[in-house]
Amino acid sequence: MVDIVEENSGPGAALYACAPCREQRGLTPVVEQAHEVAYRDYLIHTTDCAGCSRLGRCDVGGRLRDIYQRALDGAA
């Protein structure tokens, strides 16, 4: 999977490319894209952190969220 197309209503769609097409077109698998890596790090931290809750984040959780947001902004 190299991209996720999200719709305003209804289900989104996943876009896939085989290895030769990824290489030829310079596509990066979603799991290796900066925003996905940052989101995974953020989720892992907040799931296990006693200082992170619906009310706020600990310092590390806040920094990881900021990293994720910057990666999202860069992906757009």
Side-chain angles (χ1 to χ4, degrees):
M1 184 166 49
V2 294
D3 199 5
I4 300 169
V5 178
E6 300 196 28
E7 301 290 327
N8 290 334
S9 64
L15 300 177
Y16 295 88
C18 64
C21 289
R22 287 194 315 263
E23 184 176 326
Q24 182 182 42
R25 292 173 176 81
L27 302 171
T28 304
V30 168
V31 296
E32 296 174 14
Q33 293 175 14
H35 64 284
E36 288 295 325
V37 172
Y39 186 59
R40 187 170 49 242
D41 291 345
Y42 172 68
L43 280 182
I44 289 169
H45 172 81
T46 57
T47 299
D48 296 333
C49 178
C52 291
S53 68
R54 287 184 178 196
L55 301 177
R57 304 283 176 245
C58 74
D59 289 343
V60 172
R63 285 193 301 272
L64 288 170
R65 187 191 179 289
D66 291 345
I67 291 167
Y68 168 56
Q69 189 61 53
R70 283 193 303 273
L72 268 181
D73 293 343

